Amino acid sequence: MQANPDGGKHRTKQPTNSMTTGAADAGRSPLPDPPYWQGAAVVGLYRLGFLVLLILAWFWASQSVQRNIIPTPWATAEAAVKLIGEGRLPDALLSSLSVYFSGYLAAAICAIPIGLLMGAMRPVGKTLDVFVFALSATPRVAFIPLIIVLLGLGPQAKIFVVFLGAVMPIIINTYAGVLAADDELIEMARSVGAGKGRIFLRIVLPGALPFVVVGLRIGATIGLINTVVAELYTAVTGLGGLLAVYGNTFRMAEYFVIVLTLALIGVVVTEILRLIETRLGRWRQRS
Amino acid sequence: MSAGGLPRDTAASVAQAVLLEGVSKSFRSGKGSRTEALRDVTLSVPEGKFVTLLGPSGCGKTTLLRIVDGLIAPDIGRVEVYGSAPRPGPDIGLVFQSFRLIPWLTAQANVEFALRSLALSRPDRQAQAHEYLGLVGLTGFAQAYPAELSGGMKQRVALARALACEPRILLMDEPFASIDAQTRELMQVELMRLWARRKSAVLFVTHSVDEAIVLSDQIVLLGPRPGRVVESLDVDLDRPRWAYDTRSDARYVELRRYLSARMRDLVLADPQSEFFQREPTSTETAAPENEPTASGR
């Protein structure tokens, strides 16, 4: 559909509007709507301020805790430059990301159809959901010895650990999304003569989409955790491997670099998914 | 049923848009018990006529419409829409009280959604949706999402969606009940104008006496628990009714007084109603001297 012009219009029109009313006849509308980017800029500023505060706290902690357990921000930055220059950080990052994304992608590809199937065919869903819930409640670390026995210590085992962590929340949320389908809309669709396929494609699926994205977001977080867990418990590689090496040898500046890198991955991935979420839910917010 | 007998001969039943005969329906409610929604309902909607089902809550009006649309089947009884068993689809338009617009589609796309059941090319479908949105006065809102529209506008979109398929019969389930009073009156006029343009049969459900009289050719009064036909009356007010002050017409006033009293009696006599036996029935207070022609058809 021609949905795009509307969204664009809405955004570009707002700032110009408030500018003209503000300059020409300020008396008519005493409080023009602030342009949308102003709010975003303010939030950005607050975030930046909080970041500065965090770094200050970090600096203070590094000075007051003894025996150099906490490195200074400056030492950490230096370590980061060194690690990047030596290629250790990029190598580890690449290795971790490939494990992470392989496992996560496989999880998404498997979980979404399973969740949809469970929701669309009630007997299948009712049969399986207890087992899915049971499996998702079991700490996945418990399976690692078994996975090592079956798949060894290599990348397959790591990818499988990530997969196992990410797959459950995606299945459960997709399933919940299909079950949450609006019965009134389904009845409306039936009344205009829509068949099962059209109802699923145009009513149930779009209705479930926000749930699926929530599942993907939770899955992404757990997947990242499991990436590090897998790297610590199987062959020690990637960011998890560096974490273990630097942690065990008390090279705290390098260790901090790895921790911050992991945090950054988490932020980037979840922000991307949140962006997708708000774009999909655009119709919801305008009123 | 004080209403006159319905035509039973098959020749007459062909000219009927809707024919229900001895329709009963009950639903399971809780453990083992069943609620009787409809009992032995017999009624018909002649082609091109506006028939209203009037009744207090709990008289199975919505169930009746769903049966006529073919969404659910009756337990017993015969249902015919234009001579055959009803099937949900573009031939039968259904408008709901809660609008039921697809929130992630624009007004235009919502209308097009219904049109997909017809064998139309994409440009034709778009053109037809656009035309009907224009007919309900929403040309400028074709690209708006339901969340951006007011209640009245949402119901216009829903109306356009139902009309766009050019159904042979239009079923309306308290379509204006969740719209504010001001808008409701305007929507009633709007509906009458649209209907006058192309007179399909209409089966309209409401619990508002005024709405029933203003709109209908015929009013079928339903009683609650179980839903059943109590009475059927003709409304012989001149059309177009938006052209004069219908509400001050003597026949309107008379009909309104009569129907309001009947409605009240039905509620007061309903053991499940909170008003059960709270007041003396109107037959005790007001003498029903000037009953209108309640002969039905």
Side-chain angles (χ1 to χ4, degrees), chain B residues 14-213:
Chain B
V14 177
Q16 302 292 351
V18 177
L19 189 70
L20 280 99
E21 243 176 37
V23 167
S24 295
K25 178 80 188 172
S26 61
F27 294 103
R28 203 169 33 179
S29 60
K31 308 173 194 87
S33 66
R34 290 184 83 82
T35 309
E36 206 176 356
L38 296 170
R39 180 187 291 171
D40 193 28
V41 171
T42 297
L43 63 88
S44 63
V45 180
E47 230 171 310
K49 290 288 176 194
F50 200 119
V51 176
T52 292
L53 302 174
L54 174 67
S57 60
C59 65
K61 294 169 291 193
T62 302
T63 305
L64 199 63
L65 278 196
R66 289 165 77 205
I67 287 174
V68 175
D69 194 27
L71 289 169
I72 52 174
D75 296 336
I76 47 169
R78 191 157 69 100
V79 185
E80 277 181 11
V81 174
Y82 286 99
S84 54
R87 271 192 57 208
D91 277 348
I92 310 175
L94 181 52
V95 179
F96 304 88
Q97 181 187 340
S98 51
F99 321 132
R100 305 202 187 178
L101 300 180
I102 302 171
W104 50 85
L105 296 183
T106 60
Q108 167 90 16
N110 261 287
V111 178
E112 282 184 38
F113 177 80
L115 289 169
R116 281 169 194 275
S117 299
L118 301 170
L120 287 174
S121 69
R122 204 173 129 87
D124 284 352
R125 194 165 65 222
Q126 286 172 345
Q128 189 147 339
H130 194 75
E131 184 197 329
Y132 275 88
L133 277 176
L135 220 55
V136 298
L138 285 181
T139 311
F141 291 89
Q143 297 308 320
Y145 288 90
E148 299 171 295
L149 301 174
S150 69
M153 287 157 104
K154 280 182 204 164
Q155 196 55 293
R156 280 162 196 261
V157 177
L159 198 55
R161 175 176 65 193
L163 293 173
C165 293
E166 301 185 337
R168 299 178 72 188
I169 174 157
L170 190 60
L171 310 175
M172 306 186 82
D173 186 6
E174 304 200 31
F176 308 141
S178 45
I179 296 174
D180 65 274
Q182 219 75 59
T183 315
R184 190 183 312 145
E185 278 185 33
L186 296 170
M187 286 297 288
Q188 287 165 358
V189 173
E190 186 105 352
L191 176 63
M192 281 190 281
R193 281 183 198 278
L194 288 167
W195 179 66
R197 228 183 116 259
R198 182 178 161 276
K199 287 202 174 183
S200 63
V202 179
L203 188 56
F204 188 98
V205 161
T206 184
H207 59 248
S208 155
V209 172
D210 287 296
E211 190 164 78
I213 304 172

Side-chain angles (χ1 to χ4, degrees), chain A residues 39-126:
Chain A
V42 166
V43 170
L45 221 64
Y46 286 163
R47 284 182 176 172
L48 209 68
F50 192 69
L51 186 66
V52 170
L53 225 64
L54 275 180
I55 291 171
L56 283 176
W58 177 11
F59 184 73
W60 175 79
S62 70
Q63 298 306 90
S64 46
V65 176
Q66 277 102 38
R67 289 188 293 149
N68 291 334
I69 286 177
I70 296 175
T72 60
W74 179 244
T76 308
E78 271 183 341
V81 170
K82 206 179 84 199
L83 283 177
I84 294 167
E86 287 172 354
R88 281 171 167 242
L89 185 63
D91 285 353
L93 189 64
L94 206 68
S95 145
S96 287
L97 285 182
S98 74
V99 167
Y100 177 38
F101 284 126
S102 308
Y104 181 55
L105 216 66
I109 290 168
C110 292
I112 294 173
I114 291 173
L116 292 179
L117 193 79
M118 283 173 63
M121 304 177 82
R122 293 311 301 276
V124 177
K126 285 199 166 168

Side-chain angles (χ1 to χ4, degrees), chain A:
Chain A
M1 273 280 55
Q2 318 97 306
N4 57 316
D6 234 316
K9 223 191 304 166
H10 222 75
R11 300 213 158 164
T12 48
K13 223 161 75 183
Q14 243 175 342
T16 49
N17 257 359
S18 62
M19 251 144 68
T20 48
T21 47
D25 38 44
R28 203 174 56 186
S29 64
L31 274 173
D33 280 349
Y36 80 97
W37 44 262
Q38 195 168 303
V42 166
V43 170
L45 221 64
Y46 286 163
R47 284 182 176 172
L48 209 68
F50 192 69
L51 186 66
V52 170
L53 225 64
L54 275 180
I55 291 171
L56 283 176
W58 177 11
F59 184 73
W60 175 79
S62 70
Q63 298 306 90
S64 46
V65 176
Q66 277 102 38
R67 289 188 293 149
N68 291 334
I69 286 177
I70 296 175
T72 60
W74 179 244
T76 308
E78 271 183 341
V81 170
K82 206 179 84 199
L83 283 177
I84 294 167
E86 287 172 354
R88 281 171 167 242
L89 185 63
D91 285 353
L93 189 64
L94 206 68
S95 145
S96 287
L97 285 182
S98 74
V99 167
Y100 177 38
F101 284 126
S102 308
Y104 181 55
L105 216 66
I109 290 168
C110 292
I112 294 173
I114 291 173
L116 292 179
L117 193 79
M118 283 173 63
M121 304 177 82
R122 293 311 301 276
V124 177
K126 285 199 166 168
T127 310
L128 292 183
D129 60 10
V130 187
F131 298 100
V132 173
F133 293 141
L135 191 56
S136 76
T138 317
R140 256 49 58 83
V141 191
F143 296 111
I144 289 182
L146 181 68
I147 293 167
I148 292 173
V149 172
L150 288 171
L151 297 171
L153 298 166
Q156 292 99 318
K158 293 191 179 73
I159 291 169
F160 191 69
V161 173
V162 176
F163 169 85
L164 215 54
V167 80
M168 290 304 157
I170 307 176
I171 292 180
I172 290 171
N173 279 282
T174 307
Y175 178 50
V178 177
L179 291 189
D182 189 335
D183 289 332
E184 291 203 333
L185 281 186
I186 291 173
E187 194 186 53
M188 179 280 296
R190 285 217 306 134
S191 83
V192 301
K196 284 200 167 126
R198 177 142 63 103
I199 289 174
F200 189 77
L201 227 64
R202 302 199 167 258
I203 308 283
V204 177
L205 211 54
L209 217 55
F211 289 78
V212 176
V213 178
V214 168
L216 285 173
R217 223 173 60 196
I218 301 171
T221 315
I222 298 181
L224 187 61
I225 295 169
N226 279 26
T227 305
V228 177
V229 168
E231 285 171 345
L232 289 172
Y233 278 82
T234 61
V236 179
T237 59
L239 292 171
L242 290 183
L243 212 57
V245 170
Y246 296 135
N248 293 341
T249 54
F250 292 101
R251 294 170 67 182
M252 297 322 273
E254 283 85 352
Y255 169 82
F256 261 58
V257 172
I258 308 304
V259 171
L260 290 176
T261 308
L262 286 168
L264 203 66
I265 298 172
V267 168
V268 169
V269 171
T270 48
E271 277 301 305
I272 289 171
L273 285 164
R274 228 175 50 186
L275 210 71
I276 293 171
E277 206 175 335
T278 46
R279 266 204 85 72
L280 289 174
R282 233 178 2 179
W283 50 269
R284 212 191 296 268
Q285 288 154 347
R286 322 139 125 250
S287 57

